[in-house]
Amino acid sequence: MAESGFEGFEKRLELHFSGDDPITGLRQIEFETLEEILNAVQCTVVSSVGNHYFDSYVLSESSLFVYPTKIIIKTCGTTQLLKSVRPFLDYACTIGLSLSRCMYTRGNFIFPKAQPYPHTSFKEEVIYLEEILPENLFYKKASVMPSKLPSHAWHVFSAVGQSYLIDNAHDHDQLFTIEVCMTELDCLLAKKFFRRHNDGKTSDSAGEEMTLMTGICDINPNAHICDFAFDPCGYSMNGLDGDRYSTIHVTPEDGFSYASFECVGSVYDDCRKISEVLKKVVQVFRPGTMSVSTTSASHELRTRVANAVEQQGMKCRSCTVDEFPAAGNVVFQTFTNRRK
Amino acid sequence: MAGVEEGQLISCHTIEAWEEQLQKGNNSNKLIVVDFTASWCGPCRVMAPYLAELAKKLPSVTFLKVDVDELQSVAADWAVEAMPTFMFLKEGKIVDKVVGSRKEELQQTITKHLSGSTSAA
């Protein structure tokens, strides 16, 4: 492993709010306010687009999605993601929204010593969050879900308030989130995420080319893709498909190559859909090791995920299940390439 | 009612104003850039000041602004699903499209179509 390199593993935060008038809600946020918040995290917006349901921002370090009453932000590298919590809560307060749920997840950093406060340890992160979060989020739990692979463990902190349960009585049971972290990407496939020197393209058009060349465009052909290629390498995309987002981030450098994929789905979807998506994700990157974490009310998803990934020549090495009060089950599975 | 002009960025609030502006643009053979925008869309607000600046800088281009809530039927006819969407028109035909707040891409696409018209002339 390289002594030091770019930290691909993201930190991910999901904040849900409740309030009286959540029609436009958080989407009203002025760009200056957003920039200030992102400045505290140490990242910037590089590209953005919205549809009738949400706004999507590609960041210099990963992604942000803003729904009327929900924010999903994930950032990689040495960003200080948790520093966005307080300013987001303050902003929400100005438009009459209050926090009803907070979920923080991340994998195992490749270069943990490079992380700044409060990301120096999971314990520190949890203390930081608990100090900020309002007291009414009383269903709380922090957990490190292990795997048989030392490089992969899943860190989860969840806090939920009563208002979330009331507002989301229906959605809560049907929606799930899938977070995939992949390391040791196939070298030839990873090369596709390097730009040619002086390609004369904008970051947007170079990103578009990568989306097509790598097959990322086929993962969900219905999604509108907002893509961005970094110089000299690296790639980010946000997908918008109605009210559902998806996102991919790639750090292709050999020695610490990393790619992540995340999407949301519904238990009422055709069950072949998520299998098809995972199959294509594996084909785009052919990782040596991958972890798949699902957050959902049901257990059933777990075998569907495992089957889809195993059909692509990966072997399931571990499966850990943990229940988070009022938030649902998190299932954390790891896979390695059969060649290993 | 005709649109309200802000430099060269013309907001079309009614179907009539929109059709009138399109007709005017088509007759003049100028490059038209239509910005489909929405008040509730954060990324649209990112682009607004930049677009106003571009419009001032490029008087040879007609910039039209359409709010997708005000002119729902136009947005539907033009299959606008993501905001902002910039449609490029020449002689009544759509020649290009940029979706999202992509400043560099927007600038490059305008340059491409402007230089195209110069060489044709």
Side-chain angles (χ1 to χ4, degrees):
Chain A
M1 190 204 288
E3 288 242 320
S4 180
F6 189 79
E7 179 63 59
F9 274 94
E10 296 98 350
K11 313 159 179 98
R12 178 188 185 277
L13 187 68
E14 183 170 335
L15 302 171
H16 292 250
F17 296 85
S18 60
D20 295 334
D21 180 29
I23 293 167
T24 316
L26 300 161
R27 295 182 75 180
Q28 297 168 53
I29 193 165
E30 286 302 325
F31 190 56
E32 290 71 29
T33 314
L34 193 57
E35 273 183 316
E36 267 172 44
I37 298 175
L38 294 174
N39 194 27
V41 175
Q42 286 173 3
C43 59
T44 53
V45 172
V46 297
S47 182
S48 60
V49 70
N51 70 8
H52 284 279
Y53 304 92
F54 66 100
D55 290 332
S56 135
Y57 297 86
V58 175
L59 306 177
S60 54
E61 265 93 3
S62 307
S63 288
L64 163 71
F65 300 98
V66 181
Y67 287 77
T69 59
K70 179 167 76 177
I71 285 172
I72 292 145
I73 177 168
K74 60 197 287 187
T75 64
C76 58
T78 52
T79 48
Q80 292 165 286
L81 176 65
L82 294 184
K83 292 211 167 164
S84 67
V85 178
R86 200 188 298 264
F88 273 135
L89 299 196
D90 289 347
Y91 171 71
C93 185
T94 66
I95 54 168
L97 294 176
S98 59
L99 189 70
S100 61
R101 179 182 170 193
C102 167
M103 182 108 173
Y104 174 67
T105 50
R106 69 165 172 87
N108 244 8
F109 295 128
I110 305 173
F111 308 106
K113 287 187 183 139
Q115 289 298 321
Y117 175 81
H119 298 285
T120 38
S121 70
F122 185 54
K123 194 178 160 195
E124 203 68 65
E125 292 171 319
V126 172
I127 293 171
Y128 185 89
L129 274 170
E130 287 196 323
E131 274 174 12
I132 296 175
L133 296 182
E135 281 173 5
N136 60 318
L137 271 64
F138 47 74
Y139 300 103
K140 265 191 278 196
K141 183 171 170 178
S143 175
V144 181
M145 302 174 67
S147 78
K148 288 187 180 145
L149 309 166
S151 56
H152 287 255
W154 197 240
H155 303 70
V156 186
F157 171 83
S158 165
V160 184
Q162 199 66 39
S163 54
Y164 176 77
L165 298 178
I166 296 163
D167 290 356
N168 297 278
H170 175 63
D171 284 1
H172 178 67
D173 290 337
Q174 56 150 314
L175 290 177
F176 59 82
T177 310
I178 293 198
E179 293 166 74
V180 180
C181 301
M182 294 166 276
T183 52
E184 301 146 72
L185 310 180
D186 177 275
C187 293
L188 286 176
L189 295 173
K191 280 212 171 69
K192 296 182 181 177
F193 296 97
F194 280 82
R195 287 177 72 166
R196 283 188 306 277
H197 188 57
N198 286 334
D199 60 7
K201 291 178 187 296
T202 63
S203 299
D204 303 315
S205 56
E208 232 172 280
E209 192 181 78
M210 287 180 189
T211 303
L212 290 171
M213 300 263 297
T214 55
I216 285 175
C217 56
D218 300 323
I219 295 174
N220 176 2
N222 296 327
H224 170 75
I225 291 177
C226 186
D227 32 24
F228 194 89
F230 294 90
D231 202 15
C233 67
Y235 166 90
S236 286
M237 83 82 161
N238 287 345
L240 296 84
D241 181 6
D243 60 350
R244 299 189 192 173
Y245 70 89
S246 58
T247 182
I248 290 178
H249 301 282
V250 187
T251 306
E253 290 104 317
D254 203 20
F256 48 95
S257 65
Y258 171 86
S260 69
F261 169 78
E262 176 179 334
C263 73
V264 282
S266 158
V267 291
Y268 299 125
D269 291 346
D270 182 341
C271 64
R272 280 168 301 188
K273 195 171 166 186
I274 194 63
S275 307
E276 202 49 34
V277 163
L278 285 170
K279 179 182 131 188
K280 285 174 186 159
V281 169
V282 177
Q283 286 171 351
V284 168
F285 300 105
R286 291 269 164 228
T289 304
M290 80 189 266
S291 72
V292 183
S293 157
T294 53
T295 306
S296 111
S298 85
H299 268 284
E300 189 224 353
L301 204 55
R302 154 191 174 182
T303 36
R304 214 183 288 166
V305 166
N307 287 342
V309 176
E310 289 208 314
Q311 275 170 21
Q312 294 305 306
M314 306 284 291
K315 175 106 185 79
C316 186
R317 299 291 176 185
S318 67
C319 177
T320 320
V321 185
D322 209 341
E323 197 184 328
F324 291 82
N329 293 301
V330 175
V331 179
F332 179 61
Q333 301 186 89
T334 58
F335 302 85
T336 58
N337 195 307
R338 284 188 199 275
R339 291 191 306 259
K340 290 187 88 176
Chain B
M1 188 195 89
V4 181
E5 288 200 30
E6 317 163 356
Q8 287 291 310
L9 179 61
I10 304 163
S11 294
C12 303
H13 298 291
T14 62
I15 301 276
E16 294 73 37
W18 160 248
E19 281 171 354
E20 186 193 321
Q21 289 301 334
L22 263 194
Q23 195 58 48
K24 234 161 108 181
N26 293 345
N27 292 343
S28 68
N29 286 342
K30 272 170 81 172
L31 174 66
I32 306 178
V33 179
V34 189
D35 172 19
F36 286 93
T37 179
S39 59
W40 36 260
C41 164
C44 295
R45 289 193 291 276
V46 178
M47 277 312 253
Y50 181 70
L51 200 70
E53 211 177 285
L54 266 187
K56 257 185 220 152
K57 230 168 48 187
L58 300 167
S60 59
V61 182
T62 303
F63 287 90
L64 304 180
K65 197 165 120 184
V66 171
D67 184 309
V68 297
D69 290 324
E70 271 180 359
L71 302 187
Q72 280 181 20
S73 61
V74 177
D77 288 349
W78 290 52
V80 174
E81 281 173 7
M83 275 68 67
T85 288
F86 300 94
M87 296 279 195
F88 291 72
L89 290 130
K90 253 183 180 176
E91 294 161 18
K93 286 195 198 88
I94 298 175
V95 290
D96 229 321
K97 180 167 114 170
V98 170
V99 180
S101 293
R102 302 182 143 189
K103 291 182 186 171
E104 218 186 328
E105 195 70 17
L106 182 69
Q107 172 78 62
Q108 269 206 1
T109 311
I110 292 174
T111 311
K112 184 172 104 187
H113 291 290
L114 274 181
S115 60
S117 66
T118 319
S119 61

